[in-house]
Amino acid sequence: MEALAKLDLVGVVFALAAVTLLQLALRPSKARVLRLLSESCDSARWVLAVFFLLIRPFGAQAFYIPSPSMVPTLGVGDKLVVDKLSYRLHDPQRGDVIVFAAPARATDDNKEGTDFIKRCIGLPGETIEVRGARLRVGGETIGPENTDPRVHPAADYLRQRLELAADTPVRLTRDGAFVNHSWLPRKTLAHKLGVAERALVLEPGEVRINGKPLDEPYLNEDPGYDMPVTQIPPGHYFMMGDNRNNSADSHYWGLLERERMVGVARLTYFPLGRARKLP
């Protein structure tokens, strides 16, 4: 599937030529097995033609994930199948994981059309805002001072005070925090920080759509940065990586035009241990 998905017109021509030459070499043979192989070449030519002319441009295509921007939903090296037909029938929905041709401004080398994959968060006509996570410890506020998504002051503070690795996921709630996927109630967290429970205030980071917090259970870590209210015009979408603090997305390079979308990711097929249908 992946090899077929990567074939361009030249590749298909060479593949058809190879199949035809193989069939010509086998056709004079009277051996039953070789005759069957020759007949299989006819089927192979049809498969190549149908795939390239119909399925690849309009139906499905395989892609792989080159970066950690969609962790934990998709890992580096995951291979997935993208449905290219659905968006010919209906508009993208919030929560869709979408492959799209990124604008030049989104890439380090200013290259137009590089394949990106992000989650669709904001829809046309909506407003979107990002509120970074904050801690109040004994009257001191620890939170975002800029809009750089690589900086997460609240999570960095907890990682340092709890002597955790720099890449340990930390996600705040108002009642405690998930630290490396383990729940720490606010009382326990305050004890570990050496402060009274009443002196510890937790404000989780969140995305707000039309002023209302968006529920995002697929995240390992809440956003650590602020982004002011942005109005999304018709025909545009706000795309974000699930690895919210390690993703070059619409927060960096702006809104995505509808016509740049290639398709919606439906399932992963490799590694086999992670093969599954995507929500």
Side-chain angles (χ1 to χ4, degrees), residues 36-259:
L36 288 174
L37 284 174
S38 177
E39 292 169 2
S40 297
C41 289
D42 284 327
S43 299
R45 281 206 301 271
W46 277 107
V47 168
L48 284 168
V50 169
F51 188 90
F52 187 77
L53 295 175
L54 295 177
I55 297 177
R56 189 179 190 276
F58 303 113
Q61 187 173 349
F63 288 85
Y64 79 98
I65 305 301
S67 79
S69 70
M70 283 297 294
V71 169
T73 304
L74 297 169
V76 177
D78 280 4
K79 296 176 182 178
L80 51 88
V81 175
V82 172
D83 168 10
K84 301 171 72 174
L85 179 62
S86 289
Y87 290 162
R88 297 176 183 272
L89 305 175
H90 62 76
D91 288 331
Q93 304 296 306
R94 189 185 340 277
D96 286 357
V97 176
I98 298 174
V99 171
F100 56 91
R105 64 183 182 276
T107 63
D108 293 335
D109 56 2
N110 206 39
K111 182 180 179 181
E112 179 70 32
T114 301
D115 287 334
F116 272 29
I117 183 166
K118 307 290 179 188
R119 191 179 294 274
C120 180
I121 299 297
L123 304 177
E126 296 180 334
T127 62
I128 185 169
E129 174 189 7
V130 180
R131 174 77 173 172
R134 286 166 168 78
L135 283 172
R136 290 191 172 88
V137 184
E140 178 188 4
T141 299
I142 301 160
E145 297 177 355
N146 54 44
T147 58
D148 186 346
R150 294 165 297 185
V151 178
H152 194 324
D156 289 343
Y157 174 86
L158 289 178
R159 281 189 281 258
Q160 182 180 10
R161 290 293 306 273
L162 300 177
E163 298 182 346
L164 302 171
D167 59 351
T168 302
V170 174
R171 185 173 187 182
L172 302 186
T173 75
R174 298 192 184 280
D175 301 315
F178 290 96
V179 178
N180 202 21
H181 311 292
S182 296
W183 171 247
L184 289 180
R186 188 162 66 98
K187 182 177 181 179
T188 302
L189 194 56
H191 177 73
K192 288 180 175 291
L193 296 175
V195 298
E197 183 180 357
R198 65 179 180 275
L200 177 63
V201 178
L202 307 171
E203 295 184 11
E206 58 192 17
V207 172
R208 297 175 181 174
I209 301 294
N210 295 332
K212 297 180 179 180
L214 181 64
D215 182 28
E216 298 188 276
Y218 40 79
L219 299 182
N220 269 352
E221 190 167 273
D222 44 352
Y225 59 91
D226 287 341
M227 186 192 78
V229 176
T230 299
Q231 177 73 48
I232 305 174
H236 291 73
Y237 295 80
F238 199 96
M239 312 299 294
M240 302 184 81
D242 287 356
N243 192 355
R244 202 50 53 86
N245 299 301
N246 188 19
S247 173
D249 51 35
S250 287
H251 168 261
Y252 263 137
W253 42 260
L255 301 170
L256 181 72
E257 299 89 344
R258 170 72 169 79
E259 56 268 22

